[in-house]
């Protein structure tokens, strides 16, 4: 899909596994990446935190320990991988700027969206829009009371949901929306797919999948 000057791609299981390599990149993974975007990728070793890298040339910070990347130049693909966590793409209206964010509940509470938006606005980004990719939905995301209370304290009561069995759950899309709203970012599109039960997606929560789908964005 396209948003402003940014091209966005959400991969599925049919595209293969995009998990970061244990050490150096292997040929099969490189080929899978090139089938989505032919140039260098800025991919991350995700930490469930709030670290963000700023990318001013294609492939910069590849393999960095971070949970978000912001690209400020055309042709620089930035990517995160997920298997239930929420992938978010952020695009500025007024200048070449696109970001990808790996947003699990720990990262949202830690402020990964806040940190990413701050870096964009430090470069004078205005009118930031967001796209939310496939992630786990509350009907499949039973959650412990203490952790759920901590997230509700940080992001508001709207993050509380219920599973399909009626037990307490985290509404991860609602948590993303709350984090975007407090940063004055408008959500313009959300993929209607729950990774735990929609065919075509890896899910750690539902099946303990070790594979990951990718969210990749770049400035055309």
């Amino acid at each position: 899909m396209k948003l402003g000057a940014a091209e966005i791609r959400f991969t599925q299981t049919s595209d293969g596994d995009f998990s970061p390599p244990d050490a150096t990149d292997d040929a099969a993974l490189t080929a899978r990446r090139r089938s989505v975007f032919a140039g260098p990728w800025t991919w991350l070793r995700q930490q469930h935190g709030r670290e963000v890298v700023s990318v001013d040339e294609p492939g910069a910070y590849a393999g960095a320990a971070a949970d978000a990347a912001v690209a400020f130049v055309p042709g620089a693909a930035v990517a995160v991988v997920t298997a239930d966590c929420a992938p978010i793409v952020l695009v500025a209206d007024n200048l070449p700027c696109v970001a990808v964010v790996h947003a699990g509940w720990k990262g949202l509470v830690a402020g990964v969206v806040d940190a990413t938006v701050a870096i964009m606005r430090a470069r004078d980004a205005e009118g930031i829009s967001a796209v939310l990719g496939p992630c786990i939905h509350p009907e499949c995301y039973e959650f412990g009371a203490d952790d759920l209370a901590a997230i509700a304290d940080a992001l508001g009561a709207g993050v509380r949901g219920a599973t399909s069995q009626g037990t307490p759950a985290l509404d991860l899309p609602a948590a993303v929306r709350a984090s975007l709203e407090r940063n004055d970012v408008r959500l313009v599109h959300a993929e209607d797919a729950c990774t735990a039960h929609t065919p075509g997606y890896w899910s750690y929560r539902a099946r303990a999948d070790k594979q990951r789908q990718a969210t990749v964005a770049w400035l055309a």
Side-chain angles (χ1 to χ4, degrees), residues 128-151:
I128 300 173
S129 299
V131 173
L132 172 60
C135 64
I136 196 167
H137 287 199
E139 61 267 27
C140 298
Y141 203 12
E142 186 173 7
F143 228 74
D146 290 344
D147 285 337
L148 190 55
I151 302 166

Side-chain angles (χ1 to χ4, degrees), residues 140-174:
C140 298
Y141 203 12
E142 186 173 7
F143 228 74
D146 290 344
D147 285 337
L148 190 55
I151 302 166
D153 286 345
L155 296 172
V159 305
R160 294 181 181 274
T163 67
S164 55
Q165 288 77 41
T167 54
L170 172 63
D171 188 333
L172 185 57

